[in-house]
Amino acid sequence: MAAEPREFDGLLRLCSGVRKLRWPVYWARSAQSDGRQLFMVANGAGAAYAGRAAEAGGEECRPQAIVSMGFCGALDPALKIGDVFVATAVEAAGRRFDLRRPDVQGGYATGVLASIDHVAQTAAEKALLRAGGASAVDMEAGGVARSAFARGIPMFSIRSVTDTAKETFVVDFNKALLSDGHFGTMKLLTSALRSPGKAFPELFRLRNSCLMATRTLGEFIAGCRF
């Protein structure tokens, strides 16, 4: 389960037999990887869209496990761009969900994942979340967890870092988030034009960070056993 299809790019490169699925979600694919059948779903940012994706997946394929995957923001200053983060627990809307860890040879960071209802825009907000005990932040894992735990399906959350704990965004990603759970290109550009000298280099850096993150994430998940 992810917010955007591009979060699967690194994993898809390592899969075979990729097939489009007609599920009631924004994007869904099935594929094979090392003898395993995988189902990938991207349905937009936020807990509500992630929860609907998990519900659809639970109905359509009866999964043995659910993996909430994709990008995350670092809260722990030690986390770097492209680092893989495996959540030991998700804290969302006052609830805590303890998660499983995969069997894997590669190294990774661990800790609590704070799943919130907006993009953590500033280093100051990230510091507050860190003070609460979390090591990374996302917007979807809480919604996936509520569905997975209600169905009794084992859940994992594996993410890759796209912005560091000390990073504050110039572009207002929260204002650019549309009601369908996707970021509006024109709204991003409008926000960037308010401070183009800082915003456009920021967007370019973030694009490169996402490319690195999807590669490290795909390689890591391809080597996991759940």
Side-chain angles (χ1 to χ4, degrees), residues 54-103:
E55 287 294 314
E59 290 294 329
E60 296 285 348
C61 69
R62 308 289 179 178
Q64 294 180 334
I66 291 179
V67 182
S68 175
M69 61 172 280
F71 304 147
C72 69
L75 304 179
D76 182 348
L79 290 173
K80 304 181 298 296
I81 301 298
D83 281 355
V84 172
F85 178 82
V86 177
T88 55
V90 171
E91 291 184 348
R95 293 184 64 184
R96 180 185 174 100
F97 303 89
D98 291 317
L99 305 184
R100 309 277 184 101
R101 288 203 222 178
D103 292 327

Side-chain angles (χ1 to χ4, degrees), residues 71-83 85 109 112-114 120-130 134-138 159-169:
F71 304 147
C72 69
L75 304 179
D76 182 348
L79 290 173
K80 304 181 298 296
I81 301 298
D83 281 355
F85 178 82
V112 174
L113 179 66
Q121 282 273 143
T122 67
E125 181 179 7
K126 293 175 187 178
L128 286 173
L129 292 168
R130 176 64 173 162
S135 295
V137 60
D138 88 327
R159 307 227 152 226
S160 189
V161 175
T162 54
D163 55 284
T164 65
K166 294 183 178 180
E167 187 171 356
T168 291
F169 291 123

